[in-house]
Amino acid sequence: MALFAVIWSYTTDTSVKEAAHADHLVFVKDAAAKGVLQEAGAWADGAGALLVFKADSEADLQALLAKDPYVTQGVVVDQSIYQWKPVIGPLVGI
């Protein structure tokens, strides 16, 4: 298992985000309950988000992210994924 930081940029169309929000929350809460999603939160300005996932590979993570309603419904307009190795904090050693 590895940790991955996912950086999203959102559409500026707030109606698209509002329409997908409830389904997205169900998706991320389920991922967190399963231990796959470690941390998540939107930028203070609402323009995007940072999510930290635990996955076997980037390909597995991409397959999971492709099912997120924010992705399928067009909220996410740009996505970057980085394998991440924290050295301080509660995620060290995951």
Side-chain angles (χ1 to χ4, degrees):
M1 287 284 188
L3 287 177
F4 295 89
V6 177
I7 299 173
W8 279 346
S9 295
Y10 295 153
T11 179
T12 56
D13 186 340
T14 56
S15 66
V16 172
K17 186 176 174 187
E18 289 169 6
H21 189 72
D23 291 337
H24 167 71
L25 284 180
V26 169
F27 182 87
V28 294
K29 286 179 181 181
D30 181 61
K34 291 177 179 174
V36 177
L37 179 58
Q38 301 295 304
E39 296 285 341
W43 303 129
D45 65 3
L50 169 67
L51 306 95
V52 178
F53 287 89
K54 182 169 57 173
D56 287 326
S57 68
E58 185 174 337
D60 288 346
L61 175 57
Q62 287 176 339
L64 175 68
L65 293 172
K67 298 174 187 173
D68 187 311
Y70 266 17
V71 173
T72 63
Q73 296 181 38
V75 175
V76 175
V77 296
D78 187 52
Q79 174 176 279
S80 297
I81 299 173
Y82 302 93
Q83 189 169 353
W84 184 50
K85 296 181 181 183
V87 295
I88 297 174
L91 298 179
V92 172
I94 291 182

